[in-house]
Amino acid sequence: MPYITTADGTEIFYKDWGTGQPIIFSHGWPLSGDAWDVEMKLAADNGFRAIAHDRRGHGRSTPTWHGNDMDTYAADLDELVRALDLEDIILVGHSTGGGEVVRFAARHGVGRVVKVATVGAVPPVMVKSDSNPDGTPIEVFDGIRAGVLADRSQFFQDLSAPFFGTNRPGSTISQGQRDQFWRLGMQAGFTSVYDCVKAFSETDFTEDLKALDVPIFIAQGDDDQIVPIADAALKSIDLVKNGTLKVYPGAPHGIAGPYQQELDLDLLEFWKS
């Protein structure tokens, strides 16, 4: 299986499908690159080279004790890009992965990245503070950490409901989708899962968003129960220079069902534009 080894000895697994202009897909917490399989096939079928990595501590990558922070995630992605000698890159990131690609693009991707798409992404910053008074209280993230520590398996099973919106009337998301969320989450390293909560909730991406000068497509469902849209996409669009916002009425955080079908058409149009 394809891996690169980073400067600190971490093995990063990646999938590489198709040929053409590269699109790098970055997954959300606590998943892996497999969460993007449908979109990777869509990209490869339409003449792009689709690449998805497992973030350190997730999926098939090394379950690291150190480096479970956004700066290191972006640096790992930079090492992957350099190892594969990629240019003219399109980035796509969901949730935590949206933060990763924004930080990578701002700090490592100048001259290499030509477009960015984020979906239900964590920027600008999730946690409530004096400078972000309408953010999510730290107690919510403490609760996530407590759930991981107490019974990670059951916590992930329970979390899959608000993640995909199956707790809403009329949801058509299958139990299989929820089971896949649980399965991918249980593949991740325990410490990495725990530490990544701080990374996705407390990292401030404001300056990264301001620094981007390439086109960015910002997508989010307005019934996202995991990353509240009012403190995410609706703020991010005001910070970027060349952004397009698409809000999907009634759509959840997880990419599945009718939301996925509509989103994928929009992503394909953005990639080809």
Side-chain angles (χ1 to χ4, degrees):
M1 292 191 292
Y3 288 87
I4 65 154
T5 302
T6 66
D8 70 354
T10 300
E11 290 191 317
I12 301 294
F13 173 84
Y14 68 96
K15 298 188 292 187
D16 191 346
W17 299 353
T19 59
Q21 183 181 10
I23 302 177
I24 299 176
F25 295 87
S26 182
H27 63 83
W29 177 93
L31 308 174
S32 74
D34 290 355
W36 284 116
D37 278 354
V38 172
E39 289 71 29
M40 286 187 68
K41 185 176 187 306
L42 176 69
D45 285 346
N46 281 275
F48 295 94
R49 180 181 178 185
I51 299 164
H53 63 296
D54 293 353
R55 187 172 301 117
R56 67 167 54 211
H58 296 69
R60 290 140 292 198
S61 294
T62 304
T64 51
W65 180 257
H66 297 292
N68 302 304
D69 59 83
M70 202 58 67
D71 287 347
T72 307
Y73 297 157
D76 288 346
L77 182 52
D78 184 50
E79 293 202 48
L80 175 63
V81 164
R82 293 180 183 278
L84 298 181
D85 193 24
L86 301 177
E87 302 282 354
D88 199 29
I89 303 164
I90 300 171
L91 299 171
V92 183
H94 174 238
S95 196
T96 300
E100 180 183 307
V101 299
V102 163
R103 177 139 297 182
F104 166 78
R107 300 194 178 184
H108 304 281
V110 176
R112 288 180 180 258
V113 173
V114 297
K115 292 178 186 176
V116 178
T118 65
V119 184
V122 296
V125 59
M126 288 193 71
V127 72
K128 181 179 181 179
S129 65
D130 290 342
S131 59
N132 187 38
D134 52 352
T136 301
I138 189 66
E139 289 79 11
V140 172
F141 304 110
D142 289 341
I144 293 173
R145 282 183 278 261
V148 168
L149 285 174
D151 187 346
R152 176 170 57 145
S153 181
Q154 187 61 52
F155 179 75
F156 285 165
Q157 288 189 1
D158 294 342
L159 184 62
S160 69
F163 188 92
F164 289 112
T166 62
N167 56 350
R168 300 301 201 214
S171 171
T172 60
I173 303 303
S174 69
Q175 183 63 45
Q177 288 278 2
R178 296 182 61 180
D179 291 346
Q180 175 72 339
F181 175 90
W182 172 87
R183 186 183 74 84
L184 296 182
M186 292 304 294
Q187 289 177 351
F190 188 80
T191 300
S192 300
V193 164
Y194 185 91
D195 289 350
C196 189
V197 177
K198 180 180 178 67
F200 74 65
S201 64
E202 297 183 37
T203 304
D204 190 339
F205 300 94
T206 300
E207 296 307 314
D208 302 301
L209 290 166
K210 289 179 178 179
L212 295 180
D213 58 5
V214 298
I216 178 167
F217 176 64
I218 299 173
Q220 190 164 12
D222 69 0
D223 193 29
D224 190 326
Q225 299 172 65
I226 306 299
V227 178
I229 188 172
D231 205 39
L234 299 187
K235 286 187 175 180
S236 292
I237 191 62
D238 291 333
L239 294 170
V240 297
K241 298 180 180 71
N242 188 9
T244 300
L245 173 66
K246 175 69 179 286
V247 177
Y248 297 80
H253 186 66
I255 303 171
Y259 173 38
Q260 183 174 38
Q261 295 168 13
E262 184 178 358
L263 172 67
D264 285 357
L265 291 175
D266 292 334
L267 286 174
L268 183 59
E269 180 180 359
F270 178 67
W271 301 337
K272 289 182 172 183
S273 65

